[in-house]
């Protein structure tokens, strides 16, 4: 398959470029936050997919560009694999271009509940598909290392790419407003009661670690893209993303990689262990050092490393799974995190989809053992997680994959199925943490606020 590409003007901030394609159907912006002077190399921008694969109410649907739709009698990951093979998957490397067309979208945490049959039916009040993945024939790749912007496709001609450029426009961004402050779905007492249930399950031998979350919600009106622009100025994270559809938007400010595949080499980077930042350098260093020296956080991190080594070992070549980084500290605007890296090697590029299915959802946001942890989460959390703790990412025709864990992620639903700029609905944001046998309830409760306060306060200060 021939690779066609057109060079576009490079700009350090890809947001205005995304705005020029945002009026096209199902736009997606994978945002490395490099405009802030740090983190990732590539931004990926797509819109107007040839096909849309969704999962909703237990059924997988494939929708064509003309709007026709058919139910598929197959598991969503199996359907995705088949569609990619039919649409041009070749696994041929494209140096310097991580994505040249292929599958891109989100997989909600609740998609993983299909693998956890005993999970209780917690309330699902977010009207979005469990999975929404477009098959995009073209992409704009912004390379912040080479200062290069490329419109690229493995299936469209140069003349077709030029027509796409002609369709670019930059409509004005709409205003955004919160109608109230964020409210949690758990009071402090309710959280602590659930925390104690987790401790009881651990002592009974059901599990070793459970990720328990609370959800913060409020009503909003206006354009969620304006909220995302404000949040990305507040918090630079390497796996940020913005996904828009007629029914809602995902605003992800994630610091965590889920799974990456480059030329068959797999990497996952789980986060376990958190301390808040402090405005004074000396106190901030003390908090960072306390995380480095914490036996509890190291044990918590190691549990997830072992879980992911097992997950990767089911798909990677025997003997290839390694742990090149253990207990590394990464610092962000609001928190210090403890991060490890696990790597492995696939035998064939198409196995990236099998890897995603076998590892989904990520162990860092479930607990161990994973299936039992998910059952306990479903029992204790009042509402479905939807996109929170799911994943946003891509699987290209070239066999490359990258994805985040949807933490520090907001879901904006739309009440009117209307346009992006005239809109009202609910905005949801979650925060959780891993609970182990020696966890302290008040500390775990506070950690949830440490993780999202900068996002919630940013929006309340600017838009309330």
């Amino acid at each position: 398959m021939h690779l066609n590409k057109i060079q576009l003007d490079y700009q350090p901030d890809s947001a205005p470029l995304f705005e020029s394609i945002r009026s096209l159907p199902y736009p997606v912006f994978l945002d490395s936050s490099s405009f802030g002077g740090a983190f990732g190399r590539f931004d990926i921008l797509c819109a107007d997919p040839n096909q849309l694969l969704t999962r909703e109410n237990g059924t997988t649907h494939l929708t064509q560009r003309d709007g026709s739709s058919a139910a598929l009698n197959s598991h969503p990951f199996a359907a995705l694999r088949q569609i990619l093979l039919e649409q041009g998957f070749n696994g041929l490397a494209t140096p310097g271009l991580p994505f040249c067309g292929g599958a891109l979208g989100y997989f909600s945490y609740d998609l993983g509940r299909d693998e956890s049959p005993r999970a209780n039916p917690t309330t699902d009040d977010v009207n979005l598909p469990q999975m929404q993945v477009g098959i995009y024939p073209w992409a704009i790749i912004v390379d912040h290392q080479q200062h290069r912007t490329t419109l690229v496709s493995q299936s469209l001609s140069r003349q077709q790419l030029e027509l796409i450029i002609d369709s670019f426009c930059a409509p004005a961004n709409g205003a955004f407003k919160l109608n109230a402050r964020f409210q949690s779905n758990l009071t402090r007492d309710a959280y602590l009661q659930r925390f104690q249930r987790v401790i009881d399950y651990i002592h009974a031998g059901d599990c070793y670690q459970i990720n328990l979350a609370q959800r913060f919600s409020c009503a909003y009106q206006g354009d969620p893209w304006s909220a995302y622009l404000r949040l990305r100025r507040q918090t630079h994270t390497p796996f940020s993303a913005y996904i828009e559809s007629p029914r809602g938007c995902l605003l992800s400010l994630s610091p965590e990689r889920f799974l990456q595949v480059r030329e068959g080499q797999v990497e996952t980077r789980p986060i376990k262990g958190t301390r808040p930042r402090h405005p004074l350098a000396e106190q901030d260093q003390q908090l960072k050092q306390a995380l480095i020296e914490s036996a509890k956080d190291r044990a918590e991190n190691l549990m997830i490393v072992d879980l992911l080594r097992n997950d990767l070992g089911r798909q990677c070549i025997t003997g290839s799974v390694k742990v090149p980084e253990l207990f590394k500290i990464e610092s962000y605007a609001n928190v210090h995190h403890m991060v490890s890296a696990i790597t492995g090697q696939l035998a064939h590029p198409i196995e990236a989809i099998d890897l995603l299915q076998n590892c989904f959802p990520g162990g860092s946001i479930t607990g161990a053992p994973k299936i039992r942890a998910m059952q306990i989460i479903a029992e204790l959390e009042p509402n479905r997680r939807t996109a929170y703790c799911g994943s946003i990412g891509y699987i290209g025709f070239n066999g490359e994959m990258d994805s985040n864990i949807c933490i520090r992620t907001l879901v904006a639903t739309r009440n009117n199925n209307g346009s992006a700029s005239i809109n009202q609905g609910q905005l949801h944001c979650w925060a959780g943490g891993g609970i182990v046998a020696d966890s302290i309830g008040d500390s775990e409760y506070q950690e949830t606020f440490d993780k999202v306060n900068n996002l919630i306060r940013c929006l309340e200060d600017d838009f309330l």
Side-chain angles (χ1 to χ4, degrees), residues 239-257:
F239 304 106
S240 297
Y242 180 84
I243 295 182
E244 190 166 299
S245 75
R247 287 165 57 179
C249 305
L250 304 187
L251 298 72
S252 184
L253 290 303
S254 175
E256 183 169 359
R257 167 172 282 152

Side-chain angles (χ1 to χ4, degrees), residues 240-397:
S240 297
Y242 180 84
I243 295 182
E244 190 166 299
S245 75
R247 287 165 57 179
C249 305
L250 304 187
L251 298 72
S252 184
L253 290 303
S254 175
E256 183 169 359
R257 167 172 282 152
F258 181 28
L259 291 165
Q260 181 193 57
V261 177
R262 289 283 181 271
E263 298 182 0
Q265 179 73 18
V266 179
E267 181 188 62
T268 182
R269 300 185 63 85
I271 291 174
K272 270 298 163 199
T274 301
R275 291 293 186 280
R277 300 295 304 267
H278 196 285
L280 299 179
E282 183 176 354
Q283 286 89 330
D284 190 56
Q285 182 59 37
Q286 289 172 354
L287 288 165
K288 181 178 179 179
Q289 191 64 34
L291 180 58
I292 292 171
E293 296 174 357
S294 170
K296 169 190 172 293
D297 287 292
R298 285 175 174 249
E300 186 178 328
N301 191 286
L302 191 59
M303 287 181 196
I304 303 307
V305 168
D306 286 343
L307 186 156
L308 284 166
R309 286 177 62 222
N310 181 65
D311 282 352
L312 264 62
R314 293 159 57 193
Q315 197 63 47
C316 292
I317 295 171
T318 301
S320 70
V321 177
K322 311 291 183 186
V323 184
E325 295 179 20
L326 192 63
F327 310 145
K328 179 182 177 181
I329 304 301
E330 295 182 357
S331 298
Y332 295 92
N334 59 321
V335 291
H336 301 290
H337 278 315
M338 182 177 286
V339 185
S340 294
I342 305 99
T343 61
Q345 184 71 36
L346 295 179
H348 190 277
I350 194 63
E351 291 181 358
I353 298 175
D354 304 319
L355 176 76
L356 180 62
Q357 179 179 353
N358 288 338
C359 295
F360 190 85
S364 65
I365 44 71
T366 56
K370 184 186 292 187
I371 290 179
R372 183 64 182 126
M374 292 179 68
Q375 293 165 353
I376 294 170
I377 288 168
E379 174 190 331
L380 297 181
E381 292 183 5
N383 301 92
R384 294 277 185 100
R385 290 183 170 188
T386 66
Y388 171 65
C389 291
S391 184
I392 295 170
Y394 64 85
I395 306 168
F397 294 134

Side-chain angles (χ1 to χ4, degrees), residues 218-237:
C218 68
Y220 79 93
Q221 60 188 42
D223 186 355
W225 171 247
S226 295
Y228 179 74
L229 289 175
R230 179 65 187 93
L231 290 170
R232 75 194 287 263
R233 292 195 300 270
Q234 170 78 19
T235 303
H236 302 303
T237 53

Side-chain angles (χ1 to χ4, degrees), residues 129-188:
Q130 293 177 329
M131 169 183 169
Q132 179 180 291
V133 175
I135 307 299
Y136 292 87
W138 57 267
I140 299 172
I141 309 299
V142 183
D143 184 339
H144 293 290
Q145 185 179 100
Q146 298 296 324
H147 293 180
R148 181 181 299 154
T149 301
T150 307
L151 174 62
V152 61
S153 175
Q154 289 183 293
S155 59
L156 302 182
S157 67
R158 183 177 180 87
Q159 290 76 18
Q160 288 172 308
L161 291 180
E162 288 172 348
L163 290 175
I164 290 170
I165 295 173
D166 290 341
S167 71
F168 289 2
C169 64
N173 298 329
F176 179 83
K177 182 180 184 297
L178 297 183
N179 294 339
R181 294 191 178 276
F182 284 89
Q183 298 293 324
S184 175
N185 64 349
L186 291 174
T187 65
R188 177 180 175 277

